Amino acid sequence: MKTILVTGGAGYIGSHTCAELLATGYGVVVLDNLDNGCEAALRRVEQITHRKPVFVQADVRDKDALDRVFREFSIDATVHFAGLKSVAESVANPALYYDVNLGGSVALCDVMDSHGVRDIVFSSSATVYGVSSDDPIPEHAEKQPAQPYGETKLAVEHHLEELCGENAGWNAVCLRYFNPLGAHPSGLMGEDPRGIPNNLAPYITQVAAGFRDRLMVFGNDYPTRDGTGMRDYIHVVDLARGHAAAIRFLDENPGFMPLNLGTGRPYSVLEVLAAFERAVGEEIPYEIAPRRDGDIAIYFADTTKAEKALGWTADFDMDDMAHHAWHWQSKNPEGYPR
Ligand code: NAD
Ligand code: UD1
């Protein structure tokens, strides 16, 4: 069975993907600088799968370290998660985001190429589309990233498309995630944000756990069914299964392929909150606050292309996502042991 290099494998989506790859028989080598991930997540991966991923602590921009990884292990393909993901931080420090997200990806591709490894699955984002839409968004929709984070994702996609176009044996799947949510059903792995969470779900679970007073709902005057923002939330285990399917897809399909990973069903902030209230069994306090700068009203995925290409569909629904996220939060109130 093949061995997959997973950059950023100690993070939220990466750790769930390592578990899925190991459970389906792949060997896994994780490269992560632990900037926002932790080794405890990899110990949980081992607990779940009874298989141990190899771990190398290094920065994805460090070409010497990457070179050592490709010399030491017989890598067949890469899943590239390593990067920074805060939209607000990318606005405050765009150079850092270009350096880590774009520079890291270019360094990785250079070293992969020098070792003849030219199959890659890249973590892109629905943020490359950048505009509100009442219709499901297909992959060919116009790209208008509204901030440096989204620009770096699109720039990496362009780099990969160019590599594939040079006909030098490169094959790339860019997975554009909509809004990842939830945790492993075992309660052993989940999202472990440092500091105050920016995203909706970790904020809700921290309110439900009593770490924060109330959820601030950013705007209830959007043109949506209840006035709050609507997003296409996707269970992190469905995302992980999508990556394993993308690795299989690369075996048979040469070239460049961008694919949306979502469920195609948008939920409003208040609907997500209601799902968490059902999972927790209690009301969760909230307050309507002004809109957050840069937010858009509604977007959700057209998943037709991903379903056809990958033979994949999202299995979990919003109640599963809320239930599993709450299970993780209740079993690990302080997150992973550090
Ligand atoms: P995460 O922060 O939990 O995981 C990223 C991992 O990369 C962390 O373990 C971190 O330590 C590591 N890392 C960061 N910089 C690195 C570097 N220079 N060298 C080596 N390792 C480095 O984030 P996540 O939510 O699991 O996201 C994974 C990927 O998916 C990211 O590229 C992110 O941009 C993308 N993505 C995430 C979301 C989301 O909402 N979570 C949505 C769309 C796309
Ligand atoms: C954010 C990022 C996006 C990234 C995505 C996935 C921005 C502008 N966009 O998108 O690039 O790909 O995360 O992680 O940051 N909300 C509240 N209260 C909160 C938090 C959020 O009401 O405390 C609302 C938001 O207004 C939005 C919805 O919940 O309507 C989802 O927010 P969030 O989880 O931050 O994701 P996005 O804004 O979609």
Side-chain angles (χ1 to χ4, degrees), residues 23-219:
T24 44
Y26 291 99
V28 168
V29 177
V30 169
L31 179 136
D32 197 302
N33 68 356
L34 301 184
D35 179 65
N36 196 41
C38 65
E39 265 192 277
L42 297 176
R43 289 195 290 277
R44 299 283 176 88
V45 167
E46 189 181 354
Q47 204 176 330
I48 290 165
T49 61
H50 308 292
R51 296 191 60 210
K52 195 177 168 72
V54 174
F55 175 57
V56 177
Q57 183 169 351
D59 196 295
V60 74
R61 292 165 292 179
D62 180 346
K63 288 173 90 169
D64 293 335
L66 284 169
D67 192 58
R68 285 194 293 276
V69 168
F70 281 91
R71 280 181 201 285
E72 188 172 346
F73 305 100
S74 173
I75 305 290
D76 296 289
T78 301
V79 183
H80 178 35
F81 293 102
L84 302 175
K85 62 168 183 175
S86 159
V87 168
E89 189 184 39
S90 81
V91 172
N93 193 351
L96 176 68
Y97 273 65
Y98 276 93
D99 184 25
V100 175
N101 290 4
L102 181 56
S105 302
V106 172
L108 174 66
C109 291
D110 275 359
V111 177
M112 285 176 66
D113 200 59
S114 69
H115 288 270
V117 180
R118 300 188 180 99
D119 284 354
I120 187 166
V121 176
F122 172 60
S123 290
S124 189
S125 169
T127 202
V128 298
Y129 299 116
V131 287
S132 187
S133 171
D134 285 326
D135 295 315
I137 300 179
E139 285 79 355
H140 57 76
E142 199 181 338
K143 315 297 177 297
Q144 305 178 45
Q147 11 72 10
Y149 168 68
E151 289 165 5
T152 65
K153 290 290 176 190
L154 195 55
V156 176
E157 286 202 14
H158 286 151
H159 181 55
L160 292 172
E161 189 169 9
E162 274 161 18
L163 285 174
C164 293
E166 284 164 8
N167 205 11
W170 272 91
N171 308 303
V173 177
C174 292
L175 296 176
R176 296 178 185 149
Y177 318 149
F178 278 67
N179 287 58
L181 206 163
H184 196 269
S186 63
L188 288 169
M189 293 194 300
E191 191 168 8
D192 185 13
R194 294 183 187 173
I196 302 172
N198 293 314
N199 295 121
L200 179 63
Y203 205 100
I204 292 179
T205 54
Q206 292 197 4
V207 173
F211 294 128
R212 308 197 182 275
D213 281 352
R214 65 194 59 238
L215 172 73
M216 306 306 269
V217 174
F218 297 142

